[in-house]
């Protein structure tokens, strides 16, 4: 257990943003009165840490900027709470993969300079388990990259954690890229490429392993960057996804938000975002070259993780399974005693899902 509980954070994760990004995200946005103290402290720490930015940028230009990404990434996609974290952890046992770490997620601008010092302090302060589902938290474990991107540029969906009143605006602009400007999209591409290069350098990998639910709505842009990328798309029982996402978003947004949002509005947003993300992926998945996409039910993966992992490697022609086999087996053996949250669906949940997400129930063959 770290010294600071996640739900009692005196600051939010924007402390790791560069000063320009922090101003672009929060500038002109209303900060509700109850969160102004958190905003001011976060801004102060951000300003102090941003003083190291010139050193970081100089090292990046010298060490990594001109180096090519030799292997197109493997992307693990799916709506939040669809099992992407578990699959990410299994595949990251393969040492040929590089990935974004938990430390990098919060401090992506302090990777090439100051990492040992700041990582030690983060490890000392942070909780050792994710509060929403008891998944292990450590500074060097693999983590999704959207929080890191939110600290590197203002054009990410995760701005909604801080400014939830604009959640649906961020959905259309930065989750689905429907209303994003071309200039913003180019910044996204450049920033994401930078993150990948730093991640590979940091973890010693040769192929980037991405786990990032927001990428599910960005297939066209990802393929422009990486035409031969591989995609693993996870689906899960929508009743479970609804209950789990509502719990995850509600519990995660509270220590990060700078604006109020009612539970009812957050729930309505979750319902809408799920539908939009589902249909955007369905509209763009045909762009993925044949043989580069696997769609998997998480329940099947969970029941036969080792066999399905081997099957994914073979089907998508991903190298390295034989070398990774012992580490994957060891990880899966360790997880056998893991206690998952269990969800009991009340009649209201059933009504909401069947009214709004019936298309997913039918397409994937889920029921009660």
């Amino acid at each position: 257990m770290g010294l600071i509980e996640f739900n009692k954070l005196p600051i939010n994760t924007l402390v790791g943003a560069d000063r320009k990004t922090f101003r672009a995200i929060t500038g002109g946005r209303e900060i509700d009165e109850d969160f102004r103290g958190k905003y001011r402290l976060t801004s102060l720490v951000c300003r102090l840490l941003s003083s190291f930015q010139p050193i970081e940028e100089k090292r990046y230009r010298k060490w990594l900027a001109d180096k090519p990404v030799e292997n197109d990434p493997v992307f693990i996609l799916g709506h939040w709470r669809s099992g992407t974290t578990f699959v990410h952890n299994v595949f990251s046992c393969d040492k040929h993969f590089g990935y974004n770490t938990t430390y990098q997620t919060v401090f992506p601008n302090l990777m090439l300079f100051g990492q040992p010092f700041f990582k030690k302090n983060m490890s000392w302060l942070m909780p050792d388990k994710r509060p929403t589902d008891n998944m292990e938290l450590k500074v060097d474990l693999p983590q999704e990259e959207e929080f890191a991107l939110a600290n590197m540029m203002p054009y990410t969906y995760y701005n909604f954690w801080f400014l939830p009143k604009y959640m649906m605006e961020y959905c259309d602009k930065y989750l689905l890229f429907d209303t994003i400007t071309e200039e913003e999209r180019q910044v996204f591409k450049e920033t994401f490429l930078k993150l990948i290069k730093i991640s590979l350098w940091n973890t010693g990998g040769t192929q980037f392993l991405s786990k990032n639910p927001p990428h599910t709505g960005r297939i066209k842009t990802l393929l422009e960057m990486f035409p031969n990328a591989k995609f693993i798309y996870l689906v899960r029982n929508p009743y479970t996804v609804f209950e789990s996402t509502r719990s995850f978003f509600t519990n995660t947004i509270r220590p990060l938000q700078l604006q109020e949002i009612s539970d009812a509005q957050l729930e309505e947003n979750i319902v809408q975002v799920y539908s939009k993300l589902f249909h955007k992926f369905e509209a763009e998945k045909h762009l993925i070259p044949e043989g580069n996409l696997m769609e998997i039910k998480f329940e099947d993966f969970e029941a036969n993780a080792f066999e399905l992992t081997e099957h994914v490697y073979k089907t998508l022609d991903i190298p390295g399974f034989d070398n990774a086999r012992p580490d994957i087996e060891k990880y899966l053996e360790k997880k056998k005693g893991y206690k998952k949250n269990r969800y009991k669906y009340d009649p209201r949940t059933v009504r909401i899902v069947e009214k709004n997400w019936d298309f997913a129930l039918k397409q994937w063959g889920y029921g009660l």
Side-chain angles (χ1 to χ4, degrees), residues 266-280:
L266 182 60
E267 183 181 276
E268 176 59 28
N269 290 349
I270 289 168
V271 169
Q272 290 188 53
V273 170
Y274 182 98
S275 298
K276 286 173 175 277
L277 194 62
F278 174 97
H279 292 300
K280 188 58 181 283

Side-chain angles (χ1 to χ4, degrees), residues 286-304:
H286 73 279
L287 300 172
I288 300 172
E290 186 176 355
N292 284 3
L293 168 66
M294 279 197 70
E295 299 181 67
I296 301 173
K297 282 188 173 182
F298 176 65
E299 293 85 356
D300 293 340
F301 187 89
E302 191 175 38
N304 298 285

